[in-house]
Amino acid sequence: MKSYGGRHRTVFLVLLRVVWTAVCAAVLVVSGVAWSTVSTISTGVERSYAIPDDVPRSTSGRNILIMGLTTRLDLHGEPLPDDVLRRMQAGESDRGGYNANTLILLRVPVSGPAVAMSVPRDNLVPLASGGEGKIKEAYGRAKIAEEERLRAAGQHDPRTLERAGREAGRRAQVRTVSAFLNQPVDHLVEISLIGFFHIAEGLGGVDVCLRAATKDPLSGADFPAGPQHLDAGQALSFVRQRHGLPDGDLGRTRRQQAFLAAVAKRLKGADVGVVRAMADMAKQDVVLDAAFDLAEFTTNLPSEVRFETLPIEGGARVGGLDVNRVDPAKVQAKVTELATAPPPPPPDDGVPCVD
């Protein structure tokens, strides 16, 4: 598939290029912003202990797992305001569950360009909790199991259950992806669906380009062909649409990458005030692992990021569900290839056109 690259000036921008995303991760700052701003973001964002201190670590760089959740709830499991849900055009608060519909392994080498590897969400893989399932399901299954365990032990406080359940979900998702890719995970970034909306809203919308007109009532997508500016609600529909696309979910992955490339392009021209406002917004939506030292990370920030989508073998029907057949050996070989010698990104030639 085509990859999208561009020059980045900051950690904030790098993570935005690879999160919903995502987005992915909308948590840091542009270069030139005062150190006090970095410190404020670092101490204000939600932290996770899902990656133990004693797990294996990368030796020639760092692997950051970026997880985009489908939930329409906030970080405490509370419903979003009705007016926000209406503008998101993503249905009611009880939709979506806790699937990790976006999974990106961001490989940041000691030197040279970084590579963001998208893992198709419907890959049929062994799950950390046991058995097989779609890779996106590791989070939600573990969350439910942990909450049931705690209820059986007498715990009924909703926020305690939500926090413990999400931590179990993060642990399971990290272990599942790490085993499937045969790569250690050094850090994690989690962002929910509202994060995509907040990113686009904070920027006043984004510019995208479509090869053909498209309409999908399930996602709310209704776009003409060609270059166009999308508001926050439209942008969320743009990244959520999969019905009516030539490649289905893989087409949606390219949509997400194009959206993040558009965010990066917009941020390049943004002033410090806009970035600070978005950083404050990110605290509502983003979770980082406890060991993610943002200040240290800024000292070795890559200037380039390339997107890749990891291979699948084709579709299959298993237990009444549509899944992706995968060859773990081929996937792991591709990851190793990209992690050890990522190709240079293409020139930054503006907003890419996608299906």
Side-chain angles (χ1 to χ4, degrees):
M1 62 164 288
K2 183 176 179 180
S3 299
Y4 307 115
R7 191 159 294 278
H8 303 269
R9 296 175 298 166
T10 70
V11 176
F12 184 57
L13 195 51
V14 167
L15 291 181
L16 276 171
R17 289 292 305 271
V18 293
V19 178
W20 292 86
T21 309
V23 39
C24 353
V27 294
L28 310 179
V29 293
V30 293
S31 59
V33 175
W35 163 252
S36 61
T37 304
V38 180
S39 178
T40 298
I41 295 168
S42 182
T43 56
V45 74
E46 182 87 3
R47 294 287 183 163
S48 166
Y49 295 87
I51 302 178
D53 293 336
D54 59 353
V55 298
R57 303 281 178 169
S58 303
T59 58
S60 58
R62 267 177 289 186
N63 291 332
I64 302 170
L65 178 61
I66 299 168
M67 303 185 291
L69 301 183
T70 55
T71 181
R72 277 72 163 166
L73 304 174
D74 67 15
L75 285 178
H76 305 295
E78 299 292 337
L80 299 172
D82 289 341
D83 66 314
V84 173
L85 287 171
R86 184 175 61 255
R87 286 184 289 142
M88 285 173 61
Q89 303 180 72
E92 301 301 318
S93 289
D94 58 358
R95 290 192 60 195
Y98 284 88
N99 286 330
N101 268 11
T102 295
L103 290 167
I104 299 173
L105 187 72
L106 173 62
R107 173 64 181 175
V108 182
V110 174
S111 62
V115 60
M117 295 172 267
S118 293
V119 183
R121 67 171 190 161
D122 289 336
N123 288 358
L124 184 64
V125 303
L127 301 178
S129 57
E132 281 191 327
K134 295 182 179 182
I135 196 167
K136 68 178 182 180
E137 297 174 335
Y139 192 114
R141 288 192 187 186
K143 180 180 185 295
I144 291 171
E146 178 65 4
E147 290 174 354
E148 289 177 348
R149 184 188 70 80
L150 290 174
R151 287 192 186 94
Q155 177 59 255
H156 299 290
D157 177 67
R159 288 209 169 188
T160 299
L161 291 170
E162 182 73 12
R163 171 69 182 176
R166 287 201 180 193
E167 280 289 85
R170 292 168 191 137
R171 288 192 297 271
Q173 197 67 66
V174 167
R175 290 200 300 267
T176 298
V177 173
S178 178
F180 175 59
L181 301 183
N182 193 30
Q183 290 284 321
V185 172
D186 303 296
H187 298 295
L188 72 84
V189 177
E190 175 190 299
I191 188 166
S192 56
L193 200 61
I194 184 63
F196 264 128
F197 181 82
H198 277 156
I199 290 169
E201 187 175 50
L203 290 175
V206 295
D207 296 317
V208 302
C209 179
L210 285 172
R211 295 192 181 101
T214 184
K215 187 172 184 177
D216 170 35
L218 293 176
S219 64
D222 186 2
F223 308 122
Q228 55 205 282
H229 183 81
L230 306 183
D231 64 23
Q234 291 171 322
L236 191 59
S237 295
F238 176 82
V239 298
R240 289 181 58 234
Q241 183 183 1
R242 62 188 175 94
H243 297 284
L245 299 183
D247 293 328
D249 252 7
L250 296 182
R252 178 161 62 176
T253 296
R254 287 189 277 275
R255 287 278 192 94
Q256 293 168 358
Q257 294 171 350
F259 167 80
L260 294 168
V263 168
K265 184 176 178 65
R266 170 70 179 86
L267 277 173
K268 286 181 181 180
D271 60 31
V272 170
V274 170
V275 176
R276 281 179 173 157
M278 288 192 63
D280 287 337
M281 211 176 266
K283 294 179 184 180
Q284 307 173 61
D285 312 313
V286 172
V287 178
L288 303 176
D289 66 278
F292 203 156
D293 186 335
L294 306 185
E296 187 273 334
F297 189 48
T298 59
T299 64
N300 297 297
L301 182 64
S303 61
E304 306 285 354
V305 173
R306 178 187 176 96
F307 285 101
E308 293 283 344
T309 300
L310 296 177
I312 65 173
E313 297 295 297
R317 189 81 173 169
V318 177
L321 298 175
D322 292 321
V323 301
N324 296 328
R325 290 184 292 106
V326 290
D327 182 336
K330 289 183 180 179
V331 172
Q332 292 167 13
K334 184 63 175 180
V335 171
T336 300
E337 173 192 333
L338 293 170
T340 54
D348 186 359
D349 55 358
V351 177
C353 282
V354 294
D355 290 319

